[in-house]
Amino acid sequence: SNTATFAFTAGSSPFPNAGPYSLVARYNGNTNVATANSALGTPHSLTLTPVSSTTTLTVSPSSGAFSTSQVYVFTAKITPTTFGGHSGTVSFQDDSGGPFVQIGTGSISLVAGEYVATFSTTFAAGTHHIRAVYAGNTNFTGSTSSSITVGP
């Protein structure tokens, strides 16, 4: 009995997306052994499930006195950067004194090898707790960043 092994690592998958696939092992034969397919050509199933994502959030400027005229730029970074990539938008949310509500969105783009989304805004007086929420896609689960506090 001989065994064939099919292996791949994250980032080198021959499959473009998470989801179900059918595999048939095929031996092309040689002068001594005829061509053969696995289990008389019956496909074997393989299901690739979405990979967990992580969202991290930064803000610029990250220090200094709070000002209602200051433009704050939030950058959400979504990892990992393998297996089909991230797509869609990130929701930027504020819970200034209540439940989190969306204050803006940013489209995800690949910048210098990293998947990022940005959003810029000014704030009214008060303390603001901002988080970034990535909904996920076919290849990745959604994730939510830790909150960043902006304000006095």
Side-chain angles (χ1 to χ4, degrees), residues 61-67 70 72 150-152:
S62 60
S63 61
F66 175 78
S67 170
Q70 174 67 53
Y72 293 89
V150 175

Side-chain angles (χ1 to χ4, degrees), residues 23-148:
L23 301 176
V24 174
R26 178 172 173 80
Y27 174 68
N28 288 327
N30 63 26
T31 56
N32 298 316
V33 179
T35 300
N37 290 331
S38 62
L40 301 174
T42 303
H44 298 277
S45 65
L46 169 69
T47 300
L48 301 178
T49 58
V51 175
S52 295
S53 72
T54 301
T55 300
T56 56
L57 182 63
T58 58
V59 62
S60 179
S62 60
S63 61
F66 175 78
S67 170
T68 57
S69 62
Q70 174 67 53
V71 175
Y72 293 89
V73 179
F74 294 91
T75 302
K77 182 171 102 173
I78 302 103
T79 56
T81 58
T82 58
F83 193 60
H86 301 279
S87 60
T89 59
V90 170
S91 171
F92 293 88
Q93 302 176 350
D94 183 357
D95 81 339
S96 57
F100 278 99
V101 295
Q102 181 173 291
I103 58 172
T105 61
S107 295
I108 297 170
S109 57
L110 184 60
V111 177
E114 296 182 326
Y115 288 94
V116 297
T118 60
F119 170 70
S120 301
T121 191
T122 58
F123 290 104
T127 302
H128 301 271
H129 303 284
I130 310 301
R131 70 180 184 184
V133 179
Y134 170 55
N137 65 14
T138 303
N139 296 321
F140 294 94
T141 62
S143 56
T144 301
S145 72
S146 297
S147 295
I148 290 179

